[in-house]
Amino acid sequence: MKYGRTFNFSAGPAMMPEPVLEEIREELLNYRGSGMSVMEMSHRSAVFQKIVDEAEQDLRELMGIPEKYKVLFIQGGATLQFSMIPMNLMKNGKAVYIETGAWSKKAIAEAKKVGEVTVISSKDKNYTYIPDCSDLDIPEDTDYVYICENETIHGTTWQKLPNTKGKVLVSDQSSMFLSKPCNVSDYGLIYAGVQKNVGPAGMVVAIIREDLIRDDLDNLPVYLQYKTHADAGSMYNTPNCWAIYCCGKVFRYLKSIGGLEAINKLNEEKAKVMYDFLDQSRMFRGTVDKEVRSLMNVPFVTESKELDAEVVAATKAAGYDNLKGHKSVGGLRASIYNAMPKEGVEALVAFLKKFEAEHS
């Protein structure tokens, strides 16, 4: 790590790749001879239009996004999508939601304001597992099936997508977006708040199949319609120009290091370091079933809340920041997104081993 930077294990906003930050720094005052920063330039300028076009094209190449899908850059983050999705996709007023943690729970609450929601849940075991969705009882007139593919707070991830019986699959990929290869054609809509694994806060990337973009929603506020953003090329109003620019840098960086296959290999290696330690530790233990452990968010605990707090304080003092678990679940959590280097995880594990030895 350079410039006195810390290993930041925050669940988001989170670390960005250092080569990307260095490139942004070099362009901060004068973007490629334009005489101004990207933060200052008009979103209607030819210079910024090129930034948007290149960002979208690089993302399409990274993910292999088919032509029949639109890529949208929308303000409001993932939370706004909890409402936009049912407002736009509930033609029959029915959807199936798989509740696997805090974020899918929040999405369910918003969807229930729009239509009838069938819920399949893992709440009975505090969201430590993913329900069996190989043979879901899906009503014929269901509009879509919704999942949060990686639960940031509870640390579970889907290893196999649900059998939607031909119904549209909608996925919140916020905390695992671009962390591994993704077959976009398996989904009707993918969305991700970018502040966890791609860029700065304040924007969501939505990848939506064109046939799901409706033109019969005259009573829905214009900004809440996917058609508005699709027709305007994400430029209906002033977009989050800075976030688009930064995300574009990350897309290009991921391409330069070998794409999603390469970053997935690195993510698997990092997670193995963390989970191997937790599996042999006498002081620390993971809280999630091994079969559905997230590569991105690793929640773990000690024997008591008091010891949890002591560990958090010790790690922070040692330069490992944001390891306190979410306030709703407590404990500790290491978020090890794409930009977290393997040496950061190794250093944390070494520190935890030393802490355990000294407090046994």
Side-chain angles (χ1 to χ4, degrees):
M1 301 290 286
K2 304 175 183 177
Y3 320 119
R5 285 167 54 77
T6 186
F7 289 120
N8 178 13
F9 292 90
S10 170
M15 294 180 71
M16 290 177 62
E18 283 191 2
V20 169
L21 293 176
E22 290 172 344
E23 189 173 339
I24 290 171
R25 180 186 61 181
E26 292 302 312
E27 296 177 345
L28 184 61
L29 294 180
N30 184 355
Y31 176 75
R32 300 186 182 181
S34 66
M36 64 186 78
S37 171
V38 173
M39 287 188 282
E40 301 170 302
M41 66 178 55
S42 169
H43 63 295
R44 302 296 182 191
S45 67
V47 177
F48 187 73
Q49 185 63 57
K50 185 177 180 182
I51 290 173
V52 176
D53 291 344
E54 289 181 351
E56 177 178 338
Q57 185 57 40
D58 285 335
L59 180 59
R60 285 186 175 276
E61 292 175 7
L62 260 181
M63 298 184 73
I65 301 174
E67 290 185 4
K68 63 180 180 180
Y69 286 78
K70 292 287 188 181
V71 174
L72 311 176
F73 302 117
I74 306 175
Q75 295 184 53
T79 300
L80 180 61
Q81 298 305 304
F82 297 165
S83 301
M84 279 187 71
I85 287 165
M87 287 177 175
N88 282 265
L89 301 189
M90 274 194 180
K91 283 186 175 182
N92 299 315
K94 293 184 179 181
V96 173
Y97 276 65
I98 318 299
E99 182 186 28
T100 52
W103 295 112
S104 47
K105 182 178 180 180
K106 286 179 179 290
I108 288 166
E110 294 303 308
K112 285 182 175 179
K113 297 175 183 178
V114 180
E116 180 182 334
V117 178
T118 299
V119 178
I120 293 93
S121 179
S122 60
K123 186 178 181 180
D124 60 320
K125 294 185 179 178
N126 196 29
Y127 305 121
T128 57
Y129 72 101
I130 300 290
D132 180 3
C133 295
S134 59
D135 189 23
L136 292 174
D137 183 14
I138 303 177
E140 181 59 35
D141 55 351
T142 295
D143 293 305
Y144 61 89
V145 176
Y146 179 103
I147 63 172
C148 179
E149 202 160 336
N150 187 92
E151 284 282 1
T152 318
I153 293 175
H154 290 88
T156 57
T157 197
W158 288 74
Q159 300 297 339
K160 184 179 181 181
L161 295 177
N163 178 4
T164 66
K165 308 289 182 67
K167 302 301 180 184
V168 170
L169 177 62
V170 175
S171 177
D172 175 358
Q173 289 192 359
S174 293
S175 54
M176 46 84 72
F177 189 55
L178 301 185
S179 65
K180 64 179 184 178
C182 173
N183 184 15
V184 176
S185 296
D186 290 339
Y187 307 81
L189 170 61
I190 295 169
Y191 74 93
V194 301
Q195 75 277 10
K196 298 179 182 297
N197 214 23
V198 188
M203 189 180 77
V204 73
V205 174
I207 303 167
I208 183 171
R209 208 172 64 211
E210 289 181 350
D211 64 293
L212 298 176
I213 300 173
R214 296 169 60 183
D215 58 6
D216 61 342
L217 297 170
D218 295 338
N219 293 327
L220 188 63
V222 64
Y223 196 79
L224 298 181
Q225 299 179 37
Y226 288 120
K227 179 176 170 56
T228 299
H229 303 281
D231 288 352
S234 299
M235 296 278 195
Y236 173 73
N237 66 329
T238 307
N240 189 329
C241 299
W242 184 249
I244 294 172
Y245 163 71
C246 293
C247 289
K249 294 287 188 187
V250 173
F251 301 156
R252 182 152 294 189
Y253 168 77
L254 289 173
K255 287 175 62 180
S256 75
I257 64 170
L260 301 188
E261 292 81 6
I263 198 65
N264 181 53
K265 183 175 183 293
L266 175 60
N267 288 330
E268 289 178 341
E269 292 172 357
K270 289 188 300 185
K272 186 176 188 302
V273 172
M274 195 72 202
Y275 287 122
D276 281 353
F277 163 69
L278 292 175
D279 288 343
Q280 60 82 38
S281 173
R282 289 174 295 174
M283 176 178 285
F284 302 97
R285 65 174 180 85
T287 59
V288 174
D289 286 0
K290 291 183 179 181
E291 295 78 13
V292 294
R293 284 171 164 175
S294 169
L295 298 183
M296 301 283 98
N297 310 102
V298 184
F300 58 104
V301 295
T302 67
E303 63 185 19
S304 70
K305 294 180 180 179
E306 292 75 20
L307 186 55
D308 288 347
E310 186 178 345
V311 176
V312 169
T315 53
K316 186 174 180 63
Y320 309 105
D321 209 3
N322 291 304
L323 280 157
K324 185 178 181 180
H326 191 272
K327 61 184 179 180
S328 65
V329 296
L332 300 99
R333 174 180 51 176
S335 292
I336 50 177
Y337 298 124
N338 285 357
M340 171 61 69
K342 186 178 179 181
E343 57 261 37
V345 181
E346 292 171 337
L348 173 63
V349 166
F351 180 85
L352 294 175
K353 285 181 178 178
K354 182 173 181 289
F355 184 96
E356 180 173 347
E358 293 174 349
H359 291 75
S360 307

